[in-house]
């Protein structure tokens, strides 16, 4: 187990599309995921994509903490998804604050589809398929974006809502409920 160094916005690894994993049961992938989970636990984040730790592969780890689970959505322990694919369900879009471990101390309000369906492989190679909304839908979209070289400011429609968490805390308490990852 090891804490991994997190790439920050501006590093080219965050802008390149990541490559699919050939064998999700490869012990190297299990080791990567174990280190990603340890790194996430250390940072207090709820999602991490392999390119953020300088590994250009299609692997993400996501979780939905109890306090983030909404009425119809269950919480989710930190879970690895290999080669995830995602599609929006319906037309509804919601705009909520997001943060990212690659943009430390910052947050911004990001519009995203409210519900998504995703497919992925687990570390045992078994398929995972879910349809989700709420925080779960947001975190999986944020992390899959990382696999395609997209950071959340690139999804924002109002850059006036991008700023430092500390400043939002001081002045706009209703807006600062960041979802740090
Ligand atoms: Ni992120």
């Amino acid at each position: 187990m090891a804490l991994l160094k997190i790439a920050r916005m501006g590093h080219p690894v965050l802008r390149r599309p990541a490559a699919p994993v050939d064998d999700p049961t490869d012990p190297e992938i299990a080791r990567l995921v174990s280190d990603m989970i340890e790194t996430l636990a250390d940072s207090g984040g709820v999602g991490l994509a392999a390119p953020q730790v300088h590994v250009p592969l299609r692997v993400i780890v996501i979780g939905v903490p109890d306090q983030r689970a909404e009425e119809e959505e269950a919480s989710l322990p930190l879970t690895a998804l290999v080669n995830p694919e995602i599609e929006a369900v319906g037309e509804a879009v919601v705009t909520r604050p997001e943060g990212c471990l690659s943009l430390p101390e910052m947050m911004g309000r990001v519009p995203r589809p409210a519900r998504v369906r995703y497919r992925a492989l687990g570390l045992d190679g078994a398929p995972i398929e879910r349809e989700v909304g709420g925080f779960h839908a947001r975190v999986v979209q944020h992390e899959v974006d990382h696999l395609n070289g997209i950071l959340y400011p690139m999804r924002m429609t109002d850059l006036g809502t991008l700023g430092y968490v500390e400043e939002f805390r001081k002045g706009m308490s209703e807006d600062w409920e960041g979802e740090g990852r």
Side-chain angles (χ1 to χ4, degrees):
M1 299 269 286
L3 289 180
L4 303 170
K5 188 171 192 297
I6 295 175
R8 293 185 302 170
M9 185 169 68
H11 194 292
V13 72
L14 295 173
R15 293 300 309 280
R16 282 197 291 266
V21 172
D22 290 333
D23 177 8
T25 68
D26 184 332
E28 287 291 323
I29 299 298
R31 184 171 311 130
L32 168 66
V33 164
S34 171
D35 289 344
M36 287 171 68
I37 287 174
E38 188 182 3
T39 302
L40 257 184
D42 179 70
S43 65
V46 290
L48 189 64
Q52 290 183 277
V53 292
H54 304 85
V55 177
L57 291 174
R58 302 187 80 80
V59 177
I60 64 174
V61 173
I62 63 168
V64 180
D66 288 339
Q67 68 270 27
R68 291 291 190 185
E70 296 172 21
E71 276 178 26
E72 74 279 24
E73 301 293 337
S75 60
L76 179 74
L78 290 176
T79 299
L81 301 176
V82 178
N83 298 340
E85 291 180 24
I86 198 164
E87 60 186 348
V89 175
E91 302 292 315
V93 170
V94 286
T95 301
R96 293 275 186 276
E98 291 186 22
C100 180
L101 294 173
S102 295
L103 286 76
E105 316 299 329
M106 301 199 79
M107 55 157 279
R109 293 177 70 83
V110 184
R112 295 195 186 269
R115 288 194 75 77
V116 296
R117 185 178 302 118
Y118 67 85
R119 295 181 192 81
L121 298 174
L123 292 181
D124 57 359
I128 294 169
E129 183 167 353
R130 297 192 183 106
E131 186 181 320
V132 298
F135 185 84
H136 193 153
R138 181 160 295 267
V139 69
V140 72
Q141 289 178 84
H142 178 113
E143 299 311 330
V144 170
D145 270 355
H146 277 299
L147 304 182
N148 297 319
I150 296 170
L151 297 170
Y152 77 78
M154 298 160 70
R155 294 285 190 197
M156 291 178 66
T157 50
D158 179 2
L159 284 172
T161 71
L162 180 66
Y164 288 95
V165 172
E166 188 182 350
E167 300 297 336
F168 285 117
R169 271 182 186 156
K170 286 182 201 165
M172 303 169 66
S173 57
E174 76 278 13
D175 274 351
W176 85 266
E177 294 163 18
E179 299 176 355
R181 42 188 178 270

